Amino acid sequence: MTVPTHPPDEDVYPRDFTLLDSLDQLAPGSRAVEAHALRTRSRSMRAVLAHRATRGRLRYEDLVRRLRTAPGALPDDLSPGGLVALARVLALQTGEPYDMETARLLFAQVPAGRLKPADRLFYARLLETLGDAAAASEQLALIPASTPGRQYLELDLANPFTGGVHADAARWQAGWAELFTRYGLEVPVVGPGDDEPLDRLVVDAPPAITDGPLVTITVTTWRPGPKLLGALRSLADQSWRNLEILVVDDCSGPEYEDVLVRAESLDPRIRVLRQPVNGGTYLARNAALAVANGELVTGNDDDDWSHPRRIEHQVRAFLDDPTVTATRVLAYMVTADLEIDRIGQPVSGRHAATYMARRDTLRRCGGFVQARKGADTELMRRVEAFTGQPVRDINVPLALYRLDIASLSRGEFGPGWHHPARAAFWASAARAHEVMVRDGLDPAEAGRAVVVPRRYEPVRIRPDRYDVAIAADWRASDAERHPVLDEVDALLGAGLRVGLVHLPDNRYPVRRRLEMHPTVQDLINARTVDRLLLDEDDVEVGTLVVAEAGLLQLPPAETSLMTVHRVLVLADQEPVDPAHHVAAYSVRDCTRNAERIVGRTPVWVPRDALVRSSLEAQSWPGLQLAPHDVPMLADPTRFAVPRALPRSSTPVVGQRADDRRDWPAEDDEVRRLYPADGSIDVRLLGSPQRVRAMLGRRSVPPGWLVYVRDELSAREYLGQLEFFVDQSGPLTRMRTTHAAALASGAVLVVPEVYRPVYGDAAVYAAPLEVTDVVRGLHADPQAWLLQSRRGQAFARERFSVESFLAALRPLLDSSVVAGTVGQPA
């Protein structure tokens, strides 16, 4: 591998140490940050890992520079675990040679005694990937033989088909044989010939089975070659003899007719079907399903190899257990040269192409959706939802899955990552299946509800122009409804065509993937809005609205294919709090990232006067600041609760309680915020575990209630309260909750810093003053009612749909006319 001497020309890494300190405090363990960085492919997240690896001493760029020019000048107390986490991300995130070489240098800085066997094995795989087989072998020798996965790297180093210096045919054959004999399978060996080793595999024929149901195997192909013939030979050699093999050519053209004729001549059970137009794998599979005669139907990719016992194992599962509705098998993932070990990737996996189900079930479910990729997994999940039975996995390696970048699915998956189009497709499918079960819908109808991303559409059917695209973190949360949907509804109600762009907030990494919020996915599945992918959808957008400034702090690496005429960044929190030495985001970084991703300098739009003054303090000559604010949207018609005098002699107080940032900065203030003697009725919304942890108690104090987020609606919760309190730490994002509380008629109690925002619509107190302020106002019912009505009047004036649209309309670009009712002035 040729390693460039200069890094990729990208300026994406945050530089401010205050910001890096703050991001480090927000981030969980390094493994979670690592998983999140791989899943999002955000290069800027490397800065968080570098900050952690150097114990806050060096920026990412400085660390890399010293690694390459003066490693002796690095600090002595680098974090071994932090170095390994950063090295793993660099090795896996992009596959760029420069990053992988940097990963090698990082591993070299970890003291030998501090490398765990699994990390040393990863290091050895990295060395082998970089072409240094000798160094990889040296590391391999230091790894205990019992370390999981060690044997696969040893096998590849001995592979005689790659021309490696450590090739050893006898050692490789022994290791290769063990992959199959451990499961009691006959061992495939490479036969003579000029084809690639994978296409020359032969196996001693197992006993033939001639009695049993007919199985149809569908093989779709486009522009076929020798790989197709190798795949078909493996199917013709199956021990299960009662087969119908349907090869569907996806309109390859007359120059491929000779290969198709040869394919059909391999075995009388093989029949070739020819599609009149190219429509993709799954339209071709539907054509085969329509004419299949088999009681059971399965598939096989046209470049994969099936062990001769594969169909036998799958059919036996049906015969042995009548409740089985579908099966699939395990596959080793190999290259054409039978290499099996790849850095950061599993050596085997459950192979979707081997999915077998009853023909009538597949037809009843409507077959495959009209997509060029991913539809096999979607149909499998739809059948599971329809039948209520999971697929029966046969955990025996009965197939070899060819890793080939020229194949249709390649480029869609990487270590810890899959293409955003896959994520969008699977999220739509999962919600369609859930609604199917909930509402008792026909499974074929559920298939039609699945939204196919443009990348996978056989024919483009969605519009190419949008008035507004809203970029937000649309993932699921405990909230009953995604908070940004009110603004989406307002724009739709104004007759604008709206698209949604998912930008995960990478400042808050999570280890596991979160799906789209159900209320958001329902809008997408209903085709009310379209989900737009930054680097895939070459559409025209009048205005891209970034719903939160912090989304641009650690953005994904991709740049947009969309033609965007204007970018607005809605800033709902201050970038920095100098008094507490913390930062939420860097205005310069976010501006630079917007320019890199979209090609436009954004206009910063404050949500209130407090944010505006903070942005003005950060201003520089290039900063574009909107001439007026766009307030939060908390539609009073949705949140308003009729209010009379207080209902009891005990004040009812509530606040958000999701995590540490929802509480005062000082622990002593947390414990003294509310009395625990029952003199105040405290009703929190969030996590009981967090509440107990904040208070240092084993149980919630008597008289306190803690509602989990989905236990009741926001209106139901706020309607119980007489006071809503926010005494959270600096830079929390509570503006929407403040607006909803005011609209509901609960009296808002916040620190004095918010006076420029709410004026006399709120009540102001420091943490240790809250109890006295609440009791004093509650003791004067008329004063409390006046304050409640004052807050509701403020909400009607500031937070209504009409107010939001009146403020936003003048800032939108009017050059794209895509909507159906009108265009903003």
Side-chain angles (χ1 to χ4, degrees), residues 233-538:
R233 280 192 289 266
S234 75
L235 298 177
D237 291 340
Q238 292 293 306
S239 60
W240 192 269
R241 306 303 295 168
N242 195 13
L243 299 177
E244 174 187 54
I245 304 171
L246 299 179
V247 179
V248 188
D249 177 67
D250 199 16
C251 196
S252 298
E255 61 269 37
Y256 296 92
E257 189 63 25
D258 287 348
V259 179
L260 297 174
V261 171
R262 288 176 59 196
E264 203 160 28
S265 68
L266 289 175
D267 190 284
R269 296 168 296 173
I270 296 175
R271 179 159 56 107
V272 175
L273 310 176
R274 293 166 176 82
Q275 292 285 81
V277 295
N278 180 273
T281 297
Y282 299 106
L283 288 181
R285 288 195 189 180
N286 279 339
L289 179 61
V291 300
N293 295 306
E295 177 183 337
L296 300 168
V297 175
T298 187
N300 199 96
D301 284 347
D302 69 346
D303 59 353
D304 291 346
W305 181 88
S306 286
H307 191 278
R309 290 192 184 271
R310 183 200 133 192
I311 302 299
E312 173 189 342
H313 274 260
Q314 291 190 264
V315 175
R316 288 293 183 201
F318 286 92
L319 299 179
D320 293 343
D321 185 352
T323 67
V324 170
T325 58
T327 64
R328 63 180 172 176
V329 306
L330 202 66
Y332 286 129
M333 302 176 187
V334 299
T335 67
D337 287 330
L338 301 180
E339 292 179 283
I340 194 171
D341 192 45
R342 294 154 320 285
I343 187 168
Q345 298 276 36
V347 299
S348 64
R350 298 179 179 95
H351 194 7
T354 66
Y355 180 69
M356 178 184 288
R358 291 182 172 85
R359 178 197 60 197
D360 293 345
T361 301
L362 297 176
R363 289 177 176 173
R364 173 72 178 83
C365 288
F368 298 94
V369 300
Q370 296 188 25
R372 288 189 175 271
K373 298 184 183 181
D376 45 9
T377 300
E378 187 282 324
L379 180 58
M380 179 182 70
R381 297 303 182 201
R382 187 164 17 117
V383 170
E384 284 186 326
F386 172 61
T387 63
Q389 295 293 326
V391 62
R392 177 70 59 86
D393 284 316
I394 299 171
N395 294 313
V396 178
L398 292 163
L400 297 179
Y401 177 92
R402 185 190 301 261
L403 291 171
D404 182 355
I405 59 173
S407 182
L408 188 64
S409 296
R410 311 312 186 255
E412 296 277 319
F413 299 97
W417 172 88
H418 55 246
H419 195 280
R422 291 265 177 176
F425 185 40
W426 288 338
S428 176
R431 184 59 176 168
H433 303 160
E434 182 181 348
V435 171
M436 176 189 75
V437 174
R438 184 193 70 192
D439 298 343
L441 301 179
D442 182 83
E445 181 181 347
R448 290 188 291 271
V450 177
V451 177
V452 177
R454 281 184 177 84
R455 180 181 176 92
Y456 302 155
E457 287 178 337
V459 178
R460 177 170 289 192
I461 58 175
R462 290 190 290 173
D464 293 328
R465 310 181 83 187
Y466 296 83
D467 299 298
V468 178
I470 299 183
D473 189 332
W474 297 109
R475 293 176 297 180
S477 67
D478 291 333
E480 54 164 342
R481 173 181 166 87
H482 195 285
V484 185
L485 282 189
D486 284 351
E487 300 183 357
V488 173
D489 287 345
L491 294 169
L492 291 171
L496 303 182
R497 180 174 289 155
V498 179
L500 306 183
V501 175
H502 176 54
L503 273 185
D505 193 339
N506 294 327
R507 297 174 300 168
Y508 304 93
V510 292
R511 187 157 192 169
R512 294 178 179 172
R513 184 181 305 277
L514 298 177
E515 298 300 335
M516 300 287 278
H517 196 289
T519 57
V520 177
Q521 194 62 57
D522 284 342
L523 280 182
I524 296 170
N525 281 14
R527 276 70 172 179
T528 304
V529 297
D530 288 332
R531 181 172 177 177
L532 304 178
L533 303 178
L534 275 177
D535 63 339
E536 285 294 329
D537 291 335
D538 53 343

Side-chain angles (χ1 to χ4, degrees), residues 195-238:
D195 290 338
E196 293 172 325
L198 177 56
D199 297 318
R200 289 189 275 133
L201 290 177
V202 293
V203 182
D204 290 339
I209 301 172
T210 58
D211 184 22
L214 176 67
V215 177
T216 296
I217 306 175
T218 66
V219 182
T220 63
T221 190
W222 183 63
R223 297 180 178 177
K227 298 172 187 177
L228 170 64
L229 303 179
L232 291 176
R233 280 192 289 266
S234 75
L235 298 177
D237 291 340
Q238 292 293 306

Side-chain angles (χ1 to χ4, degrees), residues 166-208:
H166 293 270
D168 185 326
R171 188 154 55 92
W172 177 85
Q173 184 58 48
W176 175 259
E178 203 272 333
L179 297 179
F180 298 91
T181 56
R182 71 174 75 159
Y183 296 96
L185 295 174
E186 295 84 358
V187 178
V189 297
V190 179
D194 297 326
D195 290 338
E196 293 172 325
L198 177 56
D199 297 318
R200 289 189 275 133
L201 290 177
V202 293
V203 182
D204 290 339

